[in-house]
């Protein structure tokens, strides 16, 4: 699986470095079942993960190589994304060193954290947890009894993230309820979901943070960047599987908005 992934990356021009041949590439196989009340719609029944129990943390040697390479290659970089899968690659030391290097060059760091590892990303420019992750990190319940999201609770969660973890702005994705953004300077709001036809949220968070970084580093402001990321991730969830929307799909949808 690792060799196949490497080949696919090479085919589409994705540069790969620091591959650890001592670690297995994790594979995830999902079993889907049709929803009885919605013909043509499926939901995940169970998932089989292979290789996760064998994962080893990033070696000190590889960590040094990554930091050295990053320091040498920062020129021309518009943004850095730290996406945490909690599989042993990122730790507090590496996260903080990357953020420190980026700050020296004025490069924004966009972080998609796991709740247990939130401290790794202290000082990032942007942080983008989903609703469930934000609730675990902040201890604040965002969904009200009626099933609606509470704007006041979202604001409270955002304030906690910004003040405790010293991030500049945050975007909390709330599934079909939309996405809340806030920079602490009265620039905040809840944007409706990018689609009403969501089928599979696998990979939606990755699509969102990547699109957010792309838009912001291209000169868009926070609201415009979140709107763009919301639109692109909306395309991604309309089909089953982990989907990377094409430029043509994004431009077509963007022209309709």
């Amino acid at each position: 699986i690792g060799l196949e992934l490497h080949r696919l990356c090479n085919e589409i021009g994705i540069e790969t470095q620091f591959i650890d041949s001592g670690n297995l590439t994790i594979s995830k196989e999902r079993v889907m079942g049709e929803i009885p009340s919605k013909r043509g719609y499926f939901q995940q029944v169970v998932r089989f993960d292979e290789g996760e129990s064998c994962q080893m943390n990033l070696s000190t040697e590889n960590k040094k190589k990554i930091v050295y390479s990053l320091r040498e290659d920062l020129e021309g970089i518009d943004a850095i994304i730290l996406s945490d899968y909690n599989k042993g690659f990122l730790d507090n030391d590496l996260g903080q060193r990357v953020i420190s290097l980026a700050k020296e060059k004025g490069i924004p760091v966009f972080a998609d954290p796991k709740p247990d590892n939130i401290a790794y990303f202290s000082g990032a420019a942007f942080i983008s947890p989903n609703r469930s992750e934000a609730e675990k990190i902040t201890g604040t319940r965002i969904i009200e009894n009626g099933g609606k999201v509470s704007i006041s609770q979202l604001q409270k969660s955002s304030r906690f993230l910004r003040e405790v973890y010293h991030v500049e702005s945050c975007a909390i994705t709330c599934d079909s309820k939309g996405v809340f953004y806030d920079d602490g300077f009265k620039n905040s709001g809840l944007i409706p979901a990018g689609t009403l036809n969501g089928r599979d949220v696998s990979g939606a968070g990755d699509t969102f943070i990547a699109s957010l970084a792309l838009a912001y580093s291209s000169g868009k402001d926070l609201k415009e960047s979140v709107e763009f990321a919301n639109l692109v991730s909306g395309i991604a969830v309309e089909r089953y599987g982990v989907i990377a929307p094409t430029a043509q799909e994004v431009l077509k949808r963007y022209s309709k908005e």
Side-chain angles (χ1 to χ4, degrees):
I1 293 175
L3 292 173
E4 176 68 6
L5 181 60
H6 191 215
R7 182 187 65 79
L8 291 171
C9 287
N10 286 336
E11 281 185 358
I12 58 175
I14 297 176
E15 186 177 350
T16 55
Q17 296 184 52
F18 312 112
I19 295 175
D20 187 349
S21 59
N23 260 336
L24 289 173
T25 299
I26 296 172
S27 66
K28 301 179 181 181
E29 183 175 0
R30 298 190 299 153
V31 177
M32 308 290 287
E34 188 173 25
I35 302 173
S37 60
K38 298 179 70 175
R39 288 185 59 83
Y41 282 75
F42 297 81
Q43 64 183 1
Q44 179 175 303
V45 177
V46 67
R47 192 180 79 187
F48 300 100
D49 293 5
E50 184 178 355
E52 188 163 348
S53 61
C54 303
Q55 289 297 299
M56 296 179 290
N57 290 342
L58 187 69
S59 68
T60 301
E61 180 183 356
N62 273 338
K63 192 186 302 182
K64 288 180 179 178
K65 288 180 180 178
I66 290 168
V67 173
Y68 176 81
S69 177
L70 183 62
R71 185 181 288 114
E72 294 295 307
D73 295 337
L74 278 176
E75 295 300 330
I77 290 179
D78 298 309
I80 295 174
I81 299 173
L82 295 178
S83 190
D84 183 22
Y85 298 93
N86 200 25
K87 299 294 185 288
F89 179 82
L90 281 167
D91 61 13
N92 189 68
D93 178 51
L94 182 58
Q96 288 302 296
R97 290 172 78 174
V98 170
I99 290 170
S100 178
L101 284 172
K103 281 186 172 181
E104 289 176 10
K105 298 291 185 178
I107 300 170
V109 173
F110 295 78
D112 185 3
K114 284 288 186 284
D116 290 344
N117 304 334
I118 182 65
Y120 300 177
F121 310 100
S122 181
F126 295 86
I127 192 167
S128 180
N130 60 36
R131 175 193 58 79
S132 175
E133 291 167 340
E135 288 180 333
K136 290 178 182 177
I137 293 168
T138 66
T140 301
R141 183 174 174 81
I142 292 171
I143 297 293
E144 298 175 329
N145 290 334
K148 295 182 178 181
V149 294
S150 167
I151 298 298
S152 63
Q153 293 295 81
L154 282 166
Q155 291 170 334
K156 183 179 178 180
S157 296
S158 172
R159 185 166 58 251
F160 181 96
L161 290 167
R162 287 185 289 101
E163 293 178 356
V164 175
Y165 296 105
H166 311 291
V167 298
E168 297 174 18
S169 304
C170 68
I172 302 173
T173 54
C174 301
D175 306 313
S176 61
K177 306 296 191 300
V179 55
F180 177 80
Y181 68 94
D182 181 23
D183 68 357
F185 294 100
K186 297 184 178 180
N187 296 314
S188 67
L190 180 67
I191 297 173
T195 182
L196 297 177
N197 191 33
R199 293 171 180 261
D200 188 350
V201 298
S202 299
D206 299 298
T207 304
F208 183 88
I209 195 75
S211 304
L212 179 68
L214 172 63
Y216 190 83
S217 61
S218 298
K220 299 294 185 182
D221 63 24
L222 177 61
K223 181 182 180 182
E224 292 171 330
S225 299
V226 172
E227 288 175 334
F228 178 76
N230 188 45
L231 180 148
V232 179
S233 55
I235 298 172
V237 303
E238 290 177 350
R239 287 173 285 173
Y240 293 106
V242 179
I243 302 298
T246 65
Q248 290 78 11
E249 289 175 317
V250 173
L251 289 171
K252 183 178 180 180
R253 181 69 60 86
Y254 199 69
S255 65
K256 292 181 180 179
E257 294 296 315

